[in-house]
Amino acid sequence: MGDRLRVLGIDPGLASTGFGVVEAAPGGHDARSIAMGAIRTKAKQPRAQRLATIAQRVDELIVEHEPTEVAIEQQYVADNVRSAMAIGEARAAVMVAAAGRGLPVHEYTPSAVKEAVTGYGGAPKEQVQQMVMAQLELTEEPSPLDVSDALAIALTRLAESRLDALLSGDAQPTGSGQGGAA
Amino acid sequence: MGDRLRVLGIDPGLASTGFGVVEAAPGGHDARSIAMGAIRTKAKQPRAQRLATIAQRVDELIVEHEPTEVAIEQQYVADNVRSAMAIGEARAAVMVAAAGRGLPVHEYTPSAVKEAVTGYGGAPKEQVQQMVMAQLELTEEPSPLDVSDALAIALTRLAESRLDALLSGDAQPTGSGQGGAA
């Protein structure tokens, strides 16, 4: 049998951190969304408090939804050093919470996410959003955009696990039934 | 009256995070060092694990030494976006731990620290180190340099609190005796 994969995808940001919990069968097939939303912090709060809020909410999401893995965007582009540090800080708050619960954290660049979800690393945001809706059979557009991005990041981890399964010989073609995969 | 100030100063870095605990009488006088050292993480570990280690060790330092405040370097210079993010991540791990324990976090730029400790914002590192040793009556140079920097950051917070006390009219001139300080 083997366990189902449940991935908490995160698009980190200081003001708004998108999240999406996606579950799939072993091998990464039959993805469905379990939860999605955004963690918001107020600009008037001290920065340390905002980061602690992000870490705390991620910890609560982990306790509530029991993901087996966390996937997060690894973004090495920023307007300037100051904004790079702010993104790094938000991402660190997420990683501290995830590693604190013993969960593996997978990092993906924005182009890797686009490639995995649409087949093209330079795809526009709207196309990523449409593919996320199609793969998860969502009837409404996830909003705001960082929620959609978080779901895309989780789907990227599932795509990778399908590839891992293929490479290790445990592949189950879609619709082949349960088989004996661990 | 008033309680003694105990500041946990931190110079954050992914590979090595310097820390120093400094205590002073109300008004920021008569500083002495309580503890100092560095939190090290291994480059071969996953980044999330390294950040969680920093947050966890800072939490342990807070529980062990019971600081009333945390002071941290706020550095908006970096070689590139990638190193800026790494510094931001390490700083965030510290802030998550501090805010998670309800402690106020004060941030100072490197030049503000140099100004506070030596009287000159462009002072060389060696001069900062010598002034830290003099103010804390240390007989050995704190090593490595980020330990000395962490102590300097804590002393900056004490200098600021002396200024706050002066401005609020609670100032006690150095050497004026103990008064009723707790």
Side-chain angles (χ1 to χ4, degrees):
Chain A
M1 294 302 293
D3 297 325
R4 290 182 73 82
L5 276 173
R6 186 174 281 198
V7 180
L8 169 58
I10 305 258
D11 182 21
L14 191 57
S16 179
T17 288
F19 67 86
V21 181
V22 170
E23 194 181 65
H29 296 289
D30 305 325
R32 66 188 183 95
S33 70
I34 303 288
M36 67 186 81
I39 302 164
R40 294 177 190 287
T41 69
K42 296 190 176 114
K44 66 182 177 186
Q45 283 191 310
R47 178 169 288 219
Q49 191 54 57
R50 299 175 78 181
L51 295 170
T53 296
I54 294 170
Q56 192 176 340
R57 286 285 297 126
V58 170
D59 186 69
E60 289 167 4
L61 288 171
I62 291 170
V63 170
E64 183 178 354
H65 299 293
E66 299 185 332
T68 53
E69 315 189 355
V70 174
I72 191 167
E73 192 161 278
Q74 176 192 56
Q75 186 162 9
Y76 286 128
V77 291
D79 293 339
N80 53 48
V81 163
R82 190 178 286 250
S83 64
M85 286 193 175
I87 296 170
E89 286 176 3
R91 191 171 60 209
V94 173
M95 290 197 283
V96 164
R101 289 280 175 187
L103 295 181
V105 178
H106 303 272
E107 298 182 61
Y108 303 101
T109 62
S111 63
V113 172
K114 289 177 176 179
E115 171 78 38
V117 174
T118 72
Y120 170 50
K125 289 235 168 205
E126 294 70 25
Q127 194 181 342
V128 173
Q129 194 167 31
Q130 285 172 1
M131 287 302 291
V132 166
M133 289 181 64
Q135 288 187 38
L136 294 174
E137 297 176 7
L138 303 178
T139 52
E140 283 183 37
E141 285 188 359
S143 173
L145 208 55
D146 56 0
V147 178
S148 173
D149 283 345
L151 291 167
I153 293 158
L155 288 172
T156 301
R157 172 59 196 143
L158 295 185
E160 188 183 55
S161 71
R162 282 196 299 275
L163 190 64
D164 287 347
L166 269 170
L167 294 174
S168 69
D170 288 341
Q172 299 177 27
T174 309
S176 72
Q178 71 286 348
Chain B
M1 299 295 293
D3 297 325
R4 290 183 73 81
L5 277 172
R6 186 176 281 197
V7 181
L8 170 59
I10 305 258
D11 182 21
L14 191 57
S16 179
T17 289
F19 68 86
V21 182
V22 170
E23 194 181 67
H29 295 289
D30 305 325
R32 67 189 182 96
S33 69
I34 303 288
M36 67 186 80
I39 301 165
R40 295 176 190 287
T41 70
K42 295 190 177 115
K44 66 180 178 188
Q45 282 192 312
R47 178 170 288 221
Q49 191 54 58
R50 299 175 78 182
L51 294 170
T53 297
I54 294 170
Q56 193 176 339
R57 285 285 295 126
V58 169
D59 186 69
E60 290 167 3
L61 287 170
I62 291 170
V63 170
E64 183 179 353
H65 297 294
E66 300 185 331
T68 52
E69 315 189 353
V70 173
I72 191 167
E73 192 160 278
Q74 177 192 55
Q75 185 161 10
Y76 285 130
V77 291
D79 293 339
N80 53 50
V81 163
R82 190 178 286 249
S83 63
M85 287 193 176
I87 296 170
E89 287 175 3
R91 192 172 57 208
V94 172
M95 289 196 284
V96 165
R101 289 282 176 185
L103 295 181
V105 177
H106 304 272
E107 298 183 61
Y108 303 100
T109 62
S111 63
V113 172
K114 289 176 176 181
E115 172 78 36
V117 174
T118 71
Y120 170 50
K125 289 236 169 202
E126 295 69 26
Q127 195 182 341
V128 173
Q129 195 167 30
Q130 285 171 0
M131 288 301 292
V132 165
M133 289 181 65
Q135 288 187 37
L136 293 173
E137 298 176 5
L138 303 177
T139 52
E140 285 183 36
E141 285 188 358
S143 172
L145 208 53
D146 56 0
V147 178
S148 172
D149 284 345
L151 291 168
I153 292 158
L155 288 172
T156 301
R157 172 59 195 145
L158 295 186
E160 188 182 57
S161 73
R162 282 196 298 276
L163 189 63
D164 288 348
L166 270 169
L167 294 174
S168 69
D170 286 342
Q172 300 177 21
T174 308
S176 71
Q178 72 289 343

